[in-house]
Amino acid sequence: MNNNAVLLMHCADNKDVIQLVTQFISKHNGEIIELDQYTDRENNHLFMRVKWNLEQFALQKEGIRDAFEQVVSGQTQLHWKVYFCDKPKRVALFVTKLSHCIYDILQRYQSKEWDIEIPLIISNHEKLRYIAEQFDIPYHVFSITKENKLEQEAKELALLKEANVDFVVLARYMQVLTDDFIAHYPSRIINIHHSSLPAFPGAKPYHSAYKRGVKIIGATSHYVTADLDAGPIIAQDVCRITHTDSVSDLIRKGRDLEKTVLSTAIWQKLQHNILTYKNKTIVFR
Amino acid sequence: MNNNAVLLMHCADNKDVIQLVTQFISKHNGEIIELDQYTDRENNHLFMRVKWNLEQFALQKEGIRDAFEQVVSGQTQLHWKVYFCDKPKRVALFVTKLSHCIYDILQRYQSKEWDIEIPLIISNHEKLRYIAEQFDIPYHVFSITKENKLEQEAKELALLKEANVDFVVLARYMQVLTDDFIAHYPSRIINIHHSSLPAFPGAKPYHSAYKRGVKIIGATSHYVTADLDAGPIIAQDVCRITHTDSVSDLIRKGRDLEKTVLSTAIWQKLQHNILTYKNKTIVFR
Amino acid sequence: MNNNAVLLMHCADNKDVIQLVTQFISKHNGEIIELDQYTDRENNHLFMRVKWNLEQFALQKEGIRDAFEQVVSGQTQLHWKVYFCDKPKRVALFVTKLSHCIYDILQRYQSKEWDIEIPLIISNHEKLRYIAEQFDIPYHVFSITKENKLEQEAKELALLKEANVDFVVLARYMQVLTDDFIAHYPSRIINIHHSSLPAFPGAKPYHSAYKRGVKIIGATSHYVTADLDAGPIIAQDVCRITHTDSVSDLIRKGRDLEKTVLSTAIWQKLQHNILTYKNKTIVFR
Amino acid sequence: MNNNAVLLMHCADNKDVIQLVTQFISKHNGEIIELDQYTDRENNHLFMRVKWNLEQFALQKEGIRDAFEQVVSGQTQLHWKVYFCDKPKRVALFVTKLSHCIYDILQRYQSKEWDIEIPLIISNHEKLRYIAEQFDIPYHVFSITKENKLEQEAKELALLKEANVDFVVLARYMQVLTDDFIAHYPSRIINIHHSSLPAFPGAKPYHSAYKRGVKIIGATSHYVTADLDAGPIIAQDVCRITHTDSVSDLIRKGRDLEKTVLSTAIWQKLQHNILTYKNKTIVFR
């Protein structure tokens, strides 16, 4: 943890806003560490991320957002958020039966690669309870049927609120969430899909990839939206396969992609590197 | 060029066929240089490629196929071909307006990286004639309309036959060939498509990739079949993109993939490394 | 586990040996599933891997090696081994303080991705004992000093013998083994080095990579030999870095390479895919 | 070509400089299109690239540098350059006998992928003159011996000055330049080396890679400095190889890396994306 602030901002293109932001930080004796700005010339839209050190910043943390609001109040179509890096993010994990992603995440948590808290793991199966116990994390099972889904999700949402989670990670969670659930965590539910989206959405992508005879398979991490496997893509990776790889080889090789891609997306989220705009992500750095 | 033979073979799985093939070569004093065999356990189908040296082979080249036919005549569902590596393959190029793939191919041809002959280049535009002239290769233009396509293709086919081409390469040729044309060169027309098929088939894949916000783009080389962009995939490659890449950046980066992937596919074809089975390729090595 | 046998063989190039091997298997009613043969034309040396099914094989497992010995007894400079796939391999892990590789391995073990047994974990530190306890595996600590190294290694070797391990994996074990120790497990100790060997051997490769300003970092898995970081390379992988990556970013990104590359090497070993020859590996498939 | 300016700047870290730069542009009604800033926390050094549109900029192009000098005149250890994007860069190519890199470059030049001028090609051999003639570019041959090197380089330098070249590309030029020659074009001579530096510097890297048994080969583009193959690295790429690849396969596969990596480095140079600092590059974007 460190004493930095991160501003994520996007707005209709204009000539003053970068200057206003840097002046604001400079004036209050903040030291900019990273500034990344990009203008989408097609949509005339400006995206910006600034990270600055607060050690000698003249404003108290509590006052920064109000002060900044005044700076940009005259700008049109401007959206911004300021994040502070002084507290571990609280992350909830959803799992079903596969352990590769959850172990990968828990190793990073345990070794302090990531400075996060994991207040709970939610599953629709008992199978992975032993992992939660290995790491001493509460494990809640909600078995899901067509009939009880809304009811079970309500309980899950209650737990998430109570645990005050910053975002949710679906670590090969094998249930489709309802639109209502998703609406509670916009751009805050990260999923891993086991294909190079938009190829092979939905169920059994490795079987489809095998059938089509592709020479490269992939994995995609994205924010969950109401459209299945169609949310903004955060990270993707691929690996080569050959005719000698059976479906089970694809599944085996794909697991290595899935865990790395999901962890990459979580890392980007933890760094406050991600903006979403028009169902796409801007991932700074 | 060298004095080798290559056998490509596939058949319903059986216990004797590998032994029969190696015995045939050994008995006639051939030296096996590469043998690669693979059994698809799901379909119980066996695939095999053997390359052997003919220098001290007891059979004359002309007699090899007949002799081999007798060896495997008792086997069911067996398909095989024997290729000789003593003559340059004859390759026809089809192009439209983009020069990156054709230059890439011609550089390999000119520098003898590939031992091929290019008896002709066919186009539906005049634009690239200067390249054919740079390399002193006949350039034939057949402008294509809905009305004249069959007629023009008939003329193209006549030229290809006359030139005795082994296979055809569509080096960003921007016309869809008719089923009839394709039927003349089964598994002998190689196309390059500018996406990671099956994602983004058809026109303007880079625009679609941009719109979807993918983080990886690709290119796919495949045999042309009657189904557009759905033929057996020979080679694929990808590269990473970011939010800073506009559509024109995708097009620019994609060109590097297209030329490399197309040339990889041609190389595999020239080495007799490719078998097709059930709309998929087996690419040995 | 399955009822297959794998033959790994290499010899001075000759015209009969492939035929002899396939005839041997065919004659006894074995079904070849995979055959991969390659001749190094520079050294005139032949390498071969054959996997066949034993279900209807006429020979008892116990008699196969003797029978095969007779088949190839006339051949010069021929080395071979036959492996059976009916029992889990027994693997010993050596670790120090870093947990990413060991968790990656244990997840594959626990989930049955790999059919192995891990009879013991050896370390020179107490730090990772909790992981061994999570997975209920004996954990032995031997702290190493210049003075006690031979003595401690003798105890380690005794444990390894007693546990009847097939091979040893150094999962970021931070001690150099003596030549004597290594000699007990030739081509049976797999190490992971955190650079693209031969670049940056020895200590602190990420610091060296940072200092040199490379744009790509890597990891290398190799067999341990008496020459530090100079043994036969089994697997390598890389990832891109930029000027924004500090040394600690390199270390973080490198960990993902290390665990994947090490696990890839172990997988190849488990499949009996690896031959070594002149300080290089032949990795079939 | 477009009416943009690019500022590349680096300085000892300070709190005001970013604000000063953005204020300067904003005040004169310039529109920032891309701003990328990064602080190296280890060296407390700040790097920055800003690209802005000059269409409505209040200052004339001729006056920009003077005006900017006044803005940053009070800052210590600050280095900056402003580039204008309104004229094609003039690039000289040096070649010897291999044609893959030069064709790759000339295709991009001819197709206007790059907006450059190539006033001359210099070689120590006649062999590639036909390519220069295909593209109608003057081709100068200076055969190099130990005795005549300084003299010949003097003639080459005279030609480069006369042609007013912006930078020099060594497209597999097989001569080592003298320190004196290099000193005339600091950070303006781009070389391609056929290995993943720092592995395998010097001659015959593919032979060394083969001998070491690496599983991945690479290519590296770097600025030429007085230390052979030790200059700041601009771009690198790699591809996988296997035991079946002979030295000539490595050379063949490596060529595809060499041309892509060299062209990537040239592209970055053309975009004014590259800063050098302490023998390393900062490549923005």
Side-chain angles (χ1 to χ4, degrees):
Chain A
M1 291 298 92
N2 49 52
N3 198 9
N4 295 329
V6 172
L7 168 72
L8 284 175
M9 191 182 85
H10 66 96
C11 61
D13 198 9
N14 79 58
K15 286 178 179 156
D16 299 319
V17 72
I18 303 172
Q19 144 70 3
L20 290 175
V21 171
T22 58
Q23 190 179 39
F24 169 76
I25 296 169
S26 186
K27 196 175 78 180
H28 296 101
N29 206 30
E31 184 190 359
I32 293 177
I33 300 168
E34 298 167 4
L35 192 163
D36 197 346
Q37 176 272 335
Y38 158 74
T39 298
D40 175 345
R41 305 286 277 173
E42 194 178 312
N43 294 298
N44 289 315
H45 210 78
L46 181 154
F47 303 91
M48 188 169 173
R49 178 184 181 273
V50 193
K51 180 163 141 186
W52 74 99
N53 193 285
L54 297 176
E55 265 162 50
Q56 308 183 341
F57 203 53
L59 298 177
Q60 293 297 307
K61 224 179 300 181
E62 297 67 31
I64 289 177
R65 287 179 176 122
D66 280 353
F68 187 73
E69 180 60 44
Q70 294 196 325
V71 168
V72 294
S73 63
Q75 308 297 319
T76 51
Q77 298 183 54
L78 186 142
H79 305 267
W80 63 271
K81 273 195 184 159
V82 167
Y83 301 88
F84 299 110
C85 310
D86 55 351
K87 276 192 303 191
K89 297 298 161 210
R90 294 172 68 78
V91 182
L93 304 181
F94 278 55
V95 298
T96 298
K97 290 181 171 176
L98 295 171
S99 67
H100 55 293
C101 287
I102 182 174
Y103 266 125
D104 192 75
I105 290 167
L106 292 174
Q107 185 275 322
R108 297 173 202 264
Y109 156 73
Q110 168 98 39
S111 67
K112 307 275 184 214
E113 174 175 321
W114 295 343
D115 201 348
I116 60 171
E117 289 166 2
I118 302 181
L120 77 169
I121 299 171
I122 287 176
S123 179
N124 56 331
H125 274 278
E126 280 295 335
K127 188 177 175 196
L128 302 183
R129 182 181 293 279
Y130 73 95
I131 301 179
E133 288 173 353
Q134 282 179 331
F135 290 85
D136 208 15
I137 299 169
Y139 186 81
H140 304 270
V141 174
F142 298 92
S143 65
I144 307 284
T145 63
K146 214 181 272 185
E147 288 71 30
N148 76 359
K149 182 176 270 197
L150 280 176
E151 192 185 332
Q152 297 288 65
E153 283 192 353
K155 292 181 200 160
E156 292 167 358
L157 283 167
L159 280 174
L160 296 177
K161 296 288 174 207
E162 189 189 304
N164 196 23
V165 306
D166 290 290
F167 60 94
V168 172
V169 172
L170 309 186
R172 298 299 311 271
Y173 180 62
M174 289 293 153
Q175 287 290 327
V176 176
L177 299 170
T178 64
D179 295 2
D180 178 64
F181 186 104
I182 295 164
H184 282 82
Y185 289 93
S187 295
R188 290 166 67 196
I189 307 174
I190 298 177
N191 186 40
I192 179 71
H193 182 76
H194 38 318
S195 82
S196 281
L197 289 175
F200 312 125
K204 299 214 172 244
Y206 292 125
H207 291 76
S208 305
Y210 179 81
K211 194 160 183 303
R212 179 59 186 93
V214 295
K215 300 299 186 189
I216 287 176
I217 56 168
T220 304
S221 188
H222 62 94
Y223 282 132
V224 175
T225 59
D227 287 335
L228 185 66
D229 297 333
I233 292 170
I234 304 168
Q236 299 188 293
D237 201 3
V238 299
C239 74
R240 293 187 178 280
I241 57 167
T242 75
H243 64 278
T244 65
D245 288 306
S246 64
V247 170
S248 65
D249 291 319
L250 267 55
I251 291 171
R252 175 177 54 81
K253 292 186 170 183
R255 279 195 293 258
D256 282 0
L257 295 175
E258 293 161 27
K259 64 191 188 195
T260 310
V261 170
L262 179 56
S263 287
T264 299
I266 296 170
W267 170 260
Q268 300 291 9
K269 180 76 175 170
L270 292 171
Q271 304 304 302
H272 310 296
N273 283 350
I274 315 175
L275 266 177
T276 56
Y277 181 69
K278 293 196 170 181
N279 205 44
K280 295 168 65 171
T281 63
I282 286 82
V283 183
F284 294 100
R285 304 255 124 168
Chain B
M1 291 297 94
N2 49 52
N3 198 10
N4 294 329
V6 172
L7 167 73
L8 284 175
M9 190 181 86
H10 66 96
C11 62
D13 197 9
N14 78 59
K15 287 178 177 154
D16 299 320
V17 72
I18 303 173
Q19 141 71 3
L20 291 174
V21 170
T22 58
Q23 189 178 40
F24 169 76
I25 296 169
S26 184
K27 195 175 81 181
H28 296 101
N29 206 31
E31 184 190 358
I32 293 176
I33 299 167
E34 297 167 5
L35 191 162
D36 197 345
Q37 175 273 335
Y38 158 74
T39 298
D40 174 345
R41 305 286 279 172
E42 193 179 312
N43 294 298
N44 289 314
H45 210 79
L46 182 155
F47 302 92
M48 189 169 171
R49 178 184 182 273
V50 193
K51 180 163 142 186
W52 74 99
N53 192 284
L54 296 176
E55 265 162 52
Q56 307 183 341
F57 203 54
L59 298 177
Q60 294 296 307
K61 224 180 300 182
E62 297 69 30
I64 290 176
R65 286 176 179 126
D66 280 353
F68 186 73
E69 180 59 43
Q70 294 197 325
V71 168
V72 293
S73 62
Q75 308 296 319
T76 52
Q77 297 183 54
L78 187 143
H79 305 267
W80 62 270
K81 272 194 185 162
V82 167
Y83 301 89
F84 299 109
C85 309
D86 55 351
K87 276 192 303 193
K89 297 299 160 210
R90 294 173 67 79
V91 181
L93 304 182
F94 278 54
V95 298
T96 298
K97 291 180 170 176
L98 296 170
S99 67
H100 55 293
C101 286
I102 182 175
Y103 265 124
D104 192 75
I105 291 166
L106 291 174
Q107 185 275 323
R108 296 172 202 265
Y109 156 73
Q110 169 97 41
S111 67
K112 306 276 184 215
E113 174 175 321
W114 295 342
D115 201 348
I116 61 171
E117 290 166 1
I118 302 179
L120 77 168
I121 298 171
I122 287 176
S123 180
N124 56 330
H125 274 280
E126 281 294 336
K127 188 177 176 195
L128 302 183
R129 182 181 292 279
Y130 73 94
I131 301 179
E133 288 172 354
Q134 282 179 331
F135 290 84
D136 208 15
I137 298 169
Y139 187 80
H140 304 271
V141 174
F142 298 93
S143 66
I144 307 284
T145 63
K146 214 182 272 186
E147 289 70 31
N148 75 359
K149 182 176 269 196
L150 280 175
E151 193 184 330
Q152 296 289 65
E153 283 193 352
K155 291 181 201 158
E156 292 168 358
L157 283 168
L159 280 174
L160 296 177
K161 296 288 173 207
E162 188 189 305
N164 196 23
V165 307
D166 290 291
F167 60 94
V168 171
V169 172
L170 308 186
R172 298 297 313 269
Y173 179 63
M174 289 294 152
Q175 288 290 328
V176 176
L177 299 171
T178 64
D179 296 3
D180 178 64
F181 186 104
I182 295 164
H184 281 82
Y185 289 93
S187 294
R188 290 165 66 196
I189 307 175
I190 297 177
N191 186 40
I192 179 71
H193 182 76
H194 37 318
S195 83
S196 281
L197 290 174
F200 312 125
K204 300 216 172 241
Y206 291 125
H207 291 76
S208 305
Y210 179 81
K211 194 160 184 304
R212 179 60 187 94
V214 295
K215 300 300 184 189
I216 287 177
I217 57 168
T220 305
S221 188
H222 62 94
Y223 282 133
V224 175
T225 59
D227 287 335
L228 186 65
D229 298 332
I233 293 170
I234 304 168
Q236 299 188 294
D237 202 3
V238 298
C239 75
R240 293 188 178 281
I241 58 168
T242 75
H243 64 277
T244 64
D245 289 305
S246 65
V247 170
S248 66
D249 290 318
L250 267 56
I251 291 171
R252 175 177 55 81
K253 292 186 170 182
R255 279 195 293 258
D256 283 359
L257 295 176
E258 293 161 27
K259 64 191 188 194
T260 309
V261 169
L262 179 56
S263 287
T264 299
I266 296 171
W267 170 259
Q268 299 291 8
K269 181 76 175 170
L270 292 171
Q271 305 304 303
H272 310 297
N273 283 350
I274 314 173
L275 266 177
T276 56
Y277 181 68
K278 292 195 171 182
N279 205 45
K280 294 168 65 170
T281 63
I282 285 84
V283 182
F284 293 102
R285 303 257 125 166
Chain C
M1 291 298 91
N2 50 52
N3 198 9
N4 294 329
V6 172
L7 167 71
L8 283 176
M9 191 181 86
H10 67 95
C11 61
D13 198 8
N14 77 59
K15 286 177 178 154
D16 298 319
V17 71
I18 304 173
Q19 143 71 4
L20 291 175
V21 170
T22 57
Q23 188 179 41
F24 168 77
I25 296 169
S26 185
K27 195 174 82 180
H28 297 100
N29 206 32
E31 184 190 359
I32 293 176
I33 299 167
E34 298 167 5
L35 192 163
D36 197 345
Q37 177 272 335
Y38 158 74
T39 298
D40 175 344
R41 305 286 278 171
E42 194 179 312
N43 294 298
N44 288 316
H45 210 79
L46 182 154
F47 303 91
M48 188 167 172
R49 177 184 181 275
V50 194
K51 180 162 141 187
W52 74 99
N53 193 286
L54 296 176
E55 263 163 51
Q56 307 183 341
F57 203 54
L59 299 177
Q60 294 296 307
K61 225 180 299 182
E62 297 68 31
I64 290 177
R65 288 177 178 125
D66 280 352
F68 186 74
E69 180 59 45
Q70 294 197 324
V71 169
V72 293
S73 62
Q75 308 297 320
T76 53
Q77 298 183 51
L78 187 143
H79 305 266
W80 62 271
K81 272 195 183 160
V82 167
Y83 301 88
F84 299 110
C85 309
D86 55 352
K87 277 193 301 192
K89 297 298 161 213
R90 292 173 69 78
V91 182
L93 304 181
F94 278 54
V95 298
T96 298
K97 289 180 171 178
L98 296 170
S99 67
H100 54 294
C101 287
I102 181 174
Y103 265 126
D104 191 75
I105 290 166
L106 291 175
Q107 185 274 323
R108 296 173 203 264
Y109 156 73
Q110 168 97 39
S111 67
K112 307 275 185 215
E113 175 175 320
W114 295 342
D115 202 348
I116 61 171
E117 288 166 1
I118 302 181
L120 78 169
I121 299 171
I122 287 175
S123 180
N124 55 331
H125 274 279
E126 280 295 334
K127 188 176 176 197
L128 302 183
R129 183 182 291 279
Y130 73 94
I131 301 178
E133 288 173 354
Q134 283 179 331
F135 291 85
D136 207 15
I137 298 170
Y139 186 80
H140 304 271
V141 174
F142 298 92
S143 65
I144 308 281
T145 64
K146 214 182 272 184
E147 290 70 32
N148 76 359
K149 183 176 269 196
L150 280 175
E151 192 184 333
Q152 296 289 64
E153 283 193 352
K155 292 181 202 159
E156 292 167 358
L157 283 168
L159 280 174
L160 296 177
K161 296 287 174 207
E162 188 187 305
N164 196 23
V165 306
D166 290 290
F167 61 93
V168 171
V169 172
L170 309 185
R172 297 300 311 271
Y173 179 63
M174 288 295 154
Q175 287 290 327
V176 176
L177 300 171
T178 64
D179 295 3
D180 178 63
F181 186 104
I182 295 164
H184 282 82
Y185 290 92
S187 294
R188 289 165 67 196
I189 307 175
I190 298 177
N191 186 39
I192 179 71
H193 182 76
H194 38 318
S195 83
S196 280
L197 291 175
F200 313 125
K204 299 214 173 245
Y206 292 126
H207 290 76
S208 305
Y210 178 81
K211 194 160 183 304
R212 179 60 187 94
V214 295
K215 300 300 185 189
I216 287 176
I217 56 169
T220 304
S221 189
H222 61 93
Y223 282 132
V224 175
T225 59
D227 288 336
L228 186 66
D229 297 333
I233 293 170
I234 305 169
Q236 298 188 294
D237 201 3
V238 299
C239 75
R240 294 187 178 280
I241 58 168
T242 76
H243 64 277
T244 65
D245 288 305
S246 65
V247 170
S248 65
D249 290 318
L250 267 54
I251 291 171
R252 176 177 54 80
K253 291 186 171 183
R255 279 195 293 259
D256 283 0
L257 294 175
E258 293 161 28
K259 64 192 188 194
T260 310
V261 170
L262 179 57
S263 287
T264 299
I266 296 170
W267 170 260
Q268 299 292 6
K269 181 76 174 169
L270 292 171
Q271 304 304 301
H272 310 296
N273 283 350
I274 314 174
L275 266 177
T276 56
Y277 181 69
K278 293 195 170 182
N279 205 44
K280 295 168 64 171
T281 62
I282 287 84
V283 182
F284 294 101
R285 304 260 126 162
Chain D
M1 292 299 93
N2 50 53
N3 198 10
N4 295 330
V6 173
L7 167 72
L8 283 175
M9 191 181 86
H10 66 96
C11 62
D13 198 8
N14 78 58
K15 287 178 177 154
D16 298 318
V17 73
I18 304 173
Q19 141 72 4
L20 291 174
V21 171
T22 58
Q23 189 179 41
F24 169 77
I25 296 169
S26 185
K27 195 175 80 180
H28 296 101
N29 207 30
E31 184 191 0
I32 293 176
I33 300 167
E34 298 167 4
L35 192 163
D36 197 346
Q37 176 271 335
Y38 158 74
T39 298
D40 175 345
R41 305 286 277 171
E42 194 179 314
N43 294 299
N44 288 315
H45 210 79
L46 182 154
F47 304 91
M48 189 168 171
R49 177 184 182 273
V50 193
K51 180 163 143 187
W52 74 98
N53 193 285
L54 296 176
E55 263 162 52
Q56 308 183 342
F57 203 54
L59 299 176
Q60 293 296 307
K61 225 180 302 182
E62 297 68 31
I64 290 177
R65 286 175 178 128
D66 281 352
F68 187 73
E69 180 59 44
Q70 295 197 324
V71 169
V72 294
S73 62
Q75 308 296 320
T76 52
Q77 297 184 53
L78 187 143
H79 305 266
W80 62 271
K81 273 196 183 159
V82 167
Y83 300 88
F84 299 109
C85 309
D86 55 351
K87 275 193 303 193
K89 298 297 161 213
R90 292 173 68 78
V91 182
L93 304 182
F94 278 54
V95 298
T96 298
K97 290 181 170 176
L98 295 171
S99 65
H100 55 292
C101 286
I102 182 175
Y103 265 125
D104 192 75
I105 290 166
L106 292 174
Q107 185 275 324
R108 296 174 203 265
Y109 156 73
Q110 168 96 40
S111 67
K112 306 275 184 215
E113 175 176 320
W114 295 343
D115 202 347
I116 61 171
E117 288 166 1
I118 302 179
L120 77 169
I121 299 171
I122 287 177
S123 180
N124 55 332
H125 273 278
E126 281 294 336
K127 188 177 177 197
L128 301 183
R129 183 181 292 278
Y130 73 93
I131 301 179
E133 289 173 352
Q134 282 179 330
F135 290 84
D136 208 15
I137 297 169
Y139 186 81
H140 305 270
V141 175
F142 297 92
S143 65
I144 308 282
T145 63
K146 215 182 273 187
E147 289 70 31
N148 75 359
K149 183 177 270 198
L150 280 176
E151 190 183 333
Q152 295 289 65
E153 283 192 352
K155 292 181 201 158
E156 292 167 358
L157 282 167
L159 280 175
L160 297 177
K161 296 287 174 207
E162 187 188 306
N164 197 22
V165 307
D166 291 290
F167 61 93
V168 172
V169 172
L170 309 185
R172 295 300 310 272
Y173 179 63
M174 289 293 153
Q175 288 290 327
V176 176
L177 299 170
T178 64
D179 295 2
D180 179 64
F181 186 104
I182 295 165
H184 283 81
Y185 289 92
S187 295
R188 290 165 67 197
I189 308 175
I190 297 177
N191 186 40
I192 179 72
H193 181 76
H194 38 318
S195 82
S196 281
L197 290 174
F200 313 124
K204 299 216 172 244
Y206 292 126
H207 290 76
S208 305
Y210 178 81
K211 193 159 183 304
R212 178 61 186 93
V214 295
K215 301 301 185 188
I216 287 176
I217 57 169
T220 304
S221 189
H222 61 94
Y223 282 132
V224 175
T225 60
D227 287 335
L228 185 67
D229 297 334
I233 293 170
I234 304 168
Q236 298 188 293
D237 201 3
V238 299
C239 75
R240 294 188 177 280
I241 57 168
T242 75
H243 64 277
T244 65
D245 288 306
S246 65
V247 170
S248 66
D249 290 318
L250 267 54
I251 291 171
R252 176 177 54 80
K253 292 185 171 183
R255 279 195 293 259
D256 283 359
L257 295 175
E258 294 162 26
K259 64 192 188 193
T260 310
V261 169
L262 179 56
S263 287
T264 299
I266 297 170
W267 171 259
Q268 300 291 8
K269 181 76 175 169
L270 292 171
Q271 304 304 301
H272 310 296
N273 283 350
I274 314 174
L275 266 177
T276 57
Y277 181 69
K278 294 196 169 180
N279 205 45
K280 295 168 65 170
T281 63
I282 286 83
V283 182
F284 293 102
R285 304 259 125 165

